[in-house]
Amino acid sequence: MREAKGKGDGQENAPNFIHDLVREDVRTGKHGGVVVTRFPPEPNGYLHIGHAKSICLNFTTAALSDQGRCHLRFDDTNPEAEDVEYVESIRQDVRWLGFDWGSHEYFASDYFERLYQCAVDLIRRGLAYVDSQSLAEIRERRGDFYRPGVNSPFRDRSVEENLDLFARMRAGEFDEGAHVLRAKIDMASKDVNLRDPLMYRIRKVTHHRTGDDWCIYPMYDYAHPMSDAFEGVTHSICTLEFAHHNPLYQWFVSHFEFDPVPRQYEFARLNLTYTVMSKRLLKRLVEEGHVGGWDDPRMPTIAGMRRRGYTPSAIRRFAERIGVSRRDSLVDVGLLEHALREDLNATSPRTMAVLRPLKLVIENLPEEEEIELVAPYSPDDPSFGSRRLYLTRELFIEQEDFMEEPMKKWFRLAPGREVRLRYGALVTCNEVIKDGSGSIVELRCTWDPESKGGNAPDGRKVRGTIHWVSAKHAVDAEVRLYDRLFNEENPLDESHEGDFTRRINPASLEIVRGAKLEPSLAGRGPGERVQLERLGYFVVDPDSTPDRPVYNRTIQLKDSWAKLAGKG
Ligand code: ATP
Ligand code: MG
């Protein structure tokens, strides 16, 4: 497959403090110079562009060492929300982005037994206990930043009693909420997370992989560092909201003889303008029918972006350009679109289609005549090849490309004016035919037979060039045009009224039926990308059938971001 080359492909050195520190670890031979990372999604929704940042970061970080590797670990410790549908979509999305975890696919649920045994070990060593307070009491006695915590009355249970109760929790003898297992750290710690955090709770729910084997489930704060340690992860990279959990992470892994001992590093999550990026909110958009599904081309999900026509390399290049820091920011979606256009510009064949057809009749071209033209797929790269176009008596042009009473500087078609049909010929409009209600139904034109291919024979100046298709050869299609899903830069900004769904752009999807495609656009398979001259970059949608192609507009040609940034 073609990829955009040159400037901007792996050559920008946006600051990335994780890469810097890992390079230093490799140089100094820490962990034998080996780097092991992991991408740990919870299979409770589809991945989004924020996850893509994390995926790119984890895989490129591991690649900094020769024997580095990045694991794909499904963090499936929370049975309620998880589903196999999500597991499969996550695998597909990571692969599509261009990354390979080899044989290193893991599930936190595979560690349930080992996690249980380690918990028993902590109980034996007096480092964990069963608490029988209610969750409300536990929360209340935990205190906060200003108030120290208060010890549970069950904190000093004997090891034997704790072992017995924990075993019976596992055996299903108790109801949900009757007991929990807590780490015994320090209720007076300044760090609230170290005030005897929960390790296990009773949940009588079926897990999508372990079924009803378990009725106690480990908490994230316990399962996550331990899973990292079990797998030999060296650098556990996560987003900043976990920074407060770092000391607890260290506490758990330091109580066992792990080699290497994993360490957690936090970076700022990606936020993008004109979208929301939490799975919880994306799930609402799907469930409440605001969009057609997780892979709706307006969604910031990887599946949605794929269907929209994004290329994996554009997403990777974007991730590289935004860099990695510890400062939260809101990234302009224009930057992502800019990376996409660079890629599509370099890789898409140019073709023609008319979205809103207006009939043009060439009066001096007989009905039975067909003028065959060979047009290149790219004006400046012959390696794209070419296709055939047919100039026939009846053509379609874009309604927008005709103006009955032209304004100043109008170079497209108008009564008495001559225009160039791209790769076709020069035509002059002689007459405008209207129906009873005054709408234009047809333009009567003549062509200059000397201008075959679109060149003026005598070098006369014809400034306007428009796209067209032969009515006889045109293929009918549905074309879906997209705009931003939200009207506001930050749909979650608290200054707005009401729920974020009230900021949905009602014009974010426009379906154009009865578009006319040039013949080469029929029979292309889902995922094939083209440029439709003057209209934008498009991709074949999976809803497409051989008789009725469906094209999605990925993005328009004009790059307002490049202009703003002074590059356009
Ligand atoms: P969300 O907040 O969207 O629901 P999550 O953090 O709950 O996402 P996980 O499945 O737990 O989703 O995330 C897997 C990994 O992706 C985590 O390491 C998480 O830190 C990272 N991640 C999630 N959102 C972003 C983001 N916006 N930018 C960068 N990394 C992210
Ligand atoms: Mg999460």
Side-chain angles (χ1 to χ4, degrees):
M1 211 188 121
R2 292 165 195 273
E3 301 228 328
K5 281 193 216 69
K7 197 165 166 254
D9 206 20
Q11 290 173 19
E12 293 110 302
N13 290 315
N16 183 328
F17 80 99
I18 300 268
H19 280 183
D20 293 344
L21 73 86
V22 169
R23 265 194 211 99
E24 186 59 13
D25 286 348
V26 172
R27 194 186 64 80
T28 58
K30 195 167 171 185
H31 312 301
V34 176
V35 175
V36 181
T37 60
R38 85 289 168 265
F39 173 64
E42 186 179 352
N44 62 351
Y46 280 61
L47 299 180
H48 51 62
I49 178 75
H51 294 117
K53 174 180 179 180
S54 173
I55 293 166
C56 292
L57 176 58
N58 275 292
F59 278 92
T60 57
T61 299
L64 294 173
S65 93
D66 291 340
Q67 302 144 66
R69 57 177 205 267
C70 179
H71 299 180
L72 176 60
R73 181 192 325 130
F74 293 98
D75 177 16
D76 57 350
T77 53
N78 180 28
E80 281 94 347
E82 295 161 3
D83 198 279
V84 277
E85 174 197 348
Y86 301 132
V87 170
E88 200 30 68
S89 77
I90 289 168
R91 285 188 187 120
Q92 188 190 357
D93 289 349
V94 177
R95 234 180 261 130
W96 180 77
L97 276 176
F99 298 108
D100 181 10
W101 57 97
S103 59
H104 295 282
E105 178 176 297
Y106 304 101
F107 287 83
S109 56
D110 289 341
Y111 306 135
F112 281 169
E113 183 62 38
R114 196 166 168 195
L115 287 165
Y116 178 84
Q117 294 305 336
C118 288
V120 166
D121 195 23
L122 289 177
I123 294 174
R124 285 214 175 89
R125 290 148 68 193
L127 293 168
Y129 63 98
V130 173
D131 194 351
S132 309
Q133 300 180 99
S134 70
L135 283 175
E137 285 168 322
I138 290 174
R139 202 174 308 121
E140 167 59 26
R141 296 190 153 179
R142 199 160 162 249
D144 52 34
F145 183 74
Y146 304 100
R147 292 179 301 143
V150 176
N151 281 359
S152 162
F154 303 98
R155 197 171 197 265
D156 293 318
R157 273 177 166 149
S158 68
V159 166
E160 288 67 35
E161 193 183 356
N162 280 321
L163 288 173
D164 174 62
L165 284 170
F166 191 45
R168 288 164 59 196
M169 280 167 67
R170 174 182 184 167
E173 286 187 27
F174 307 116
D175 291 337
E176 290 191 5
H179 307 284
V180 294
L181 186 75
R182 298 178 75 176
K184 196 173 191 173
I185 307 180
D186 180 5
M187 289 303 289
S189 173
K190 283 219 162 52
D191 180 350
V192 180
N193 288 295
L194 294 180
R195 293 182 191 167
D196 294 8
L198 300 200
M199 291 173 62
Y200 272 91
R201 71 237 192 279
I202 300 172
R203 303 293 288 123
K204 303 217 162 162
V205 248
T206 305
H207 185 280
H208 76 104
R209 291 186 81 241
T210 58
D212 294 321
D213 291 355
W214 293 87
C215 61
I216 55 172
Y217 290 96
M219 306 297 291
Y220 174 89
D221 277 338
Y222 170 59
H224 196 78
M226 297 297 282
S227 304
D228 284 345
F230 295 160
E231 291 174 18
V233 166
T234 56
H235 298 77
S236 179
I237 303 167
C238 65
T239 36
L240 276 178
E241 65 270 24
F242 294 101
H244 301 297
H245 303 238
N246 201 329
L248 180 56
Y249 184 105
Q250 284 310 307
W251 191 89
F252 280 121
V253 294
S254 66
H255 280 89
F256 298 87
E257 307 280 295
F258 292 121
D259 183 23
V261 180
R263 215 182 122 178
Q264 176 179 297
Y265 300 90
E266 307 92 16
F267 70 100
R269 66 192 294 116
L270 170 66
N271 301 300
L272 260 193
T273 54
Y274 297 101
T275 194
V276 295
M277 231 185 305
S278 140
K279 276 185 283 192
R280 190 174 49 82
L281 301 181
L282 296 177
K283 197 170 187 166
R284 271 194 55 198
L285 292 176
V286 174
E287 284 172 355
E288 293 174 13
H290 299 291
V291 295
W294 284 101
D295 70 343
D296 186 299
R298 292 167 291 175
M299 290 280 271
T301 52
I302 297 179
M305 295 171 74
R306 176 167 58 235
R307 189 163 176 185
R308 176 77 171 256
Y310 270 81
T311 60
S313 60
I315 296 175
R316 292 196 305 264
R317 189 141 18 93
F318 166 73
E320 196 174 317
R321 276 184 191 163
I322 56 176
V324 175
S325 78
R326 284 180 62 90
R327 205 185 57 240
D328 270 315
S329 67
L330 182 61
V331 175
D332 188 334
V333 70
L335 189 58
L336 175 61
E337 294 172 347
H338 179 65
L340 175 61
R341 280 195 187 89
E342 281 178 324
D343 223 18
L344 295 177
N345 180 41
T347 58
S348 307
R350 272 63 169 164
T351 60
M352 291 194 287
V354 171
L355 293 186
R356 293 170 184 90
L358 170 60
K359 196 190 273 179
L360 184 155
V361 178
I362 302 178
E363 294 177 293
N364 58 341
L365 191 57
E367 190 80 54
E368 59 290 348
E369 214 170 310
E370 258 181 32
I371 297 170
E372 190 179 286
L373 304 154
V374 177
Y377 275 124
S378 162
D380 33 49
D381 183 350
S383 76
F384 278 85
S386 59
R387 83 285 192 189
R388 275 163 222 289
L389 300 174
Y390 302 89
L391 194 70
T392 52
R393 181 176 171 85
E394 294 197 348
L395 310 176
F396 292 117
I397 65 165
E398 209 72 63
Q399 288 169 16
E400 265 183 20
D401 284 336
F402 177 77
M403 203 176 237
E404 196 173 11
E405 287 166 33
M407 54 187 189
K408 263 194 182 161
K409 296 202 173 170
W410 177 264
F411 300 118
R412 294 176 256 167
L413 203 56
R417 300 271 187 97
E418 186 171 47
V419 79
R420 175 181 299 101
L421 301 176
R422 176 84 156 151
Y423 297 126
L426 302 179
V427 293
T428 302
C429 178
N430 306 318
E431 195 185 345
V432 181
I433 311 286
K434 295 184 183 172
D435 64 11
S437 68
S439 310
I440 302 173
V441 289
E442 191 176 299
L443 303 177
R444 295 258 151 186
C445 301
T446 40
W447 79 300
D448 177 350
E450 300 293 303
S451 68
K452 192 177 134 184
N455 300 314
D458 49 5
R460 68 180 180 268
K461 206 166 179 128
V462 178
R463 292 182 72 169
T465 299
I466 63 175
H467 58 272
W468 58 282
V469 295
S470 156
K472 191 166 158 195
H473 294 267
V475 177
D476 283 320
E478 176 176 320
V479 174
R480 299 173 184 168
L481 306 176
Y482 301 99
D483 199 350
R484 294 185 166 150
L485 185 52
F486 291 94
N487 282 326
E488 296 286 341
E489 263 205 357
N490 180 2
L492 299 176
D493 194 298
E494 282 161 13
S495 65
H496 298 312
E497 247 173 66
D499 186 82
F500 79 104
T501 55
R502 291 181 46 189
R503 257 81 70 201
I504 290 178
N505 173 7
S508 59
L509 168 62
E510 184 188 353
I511 298 179
V512 179
R513 299 195 173 84
K516 306 285 183 183
L517 310 181
E518 68 162 76
S520 83
L521 291 169
R524 291 183 185 245
E528 273 197 74
R529 301 182 184 90
V530 293
Q531 182 190 116
L532 301 184
E533 292 210 29
R534 302 173 69 219
L535 300 174
Y537 297 102
F538 291 73
V539 65
V540 180
D541 189 83
D543 286 346
S544 220
T545 62
D547 322 332
R548 204 200 52 146
V550 179
Y551 275 81
N552 293 323
R553 178 152 69 190
T554 308
I555 196 151
Q556 284 174 288
L557 300 176
K558 199 179 102 208
D559 188 345
S560 47
W561 188 86
K563 238 179 242 150
L564 283 177
K567 294 183 182 177

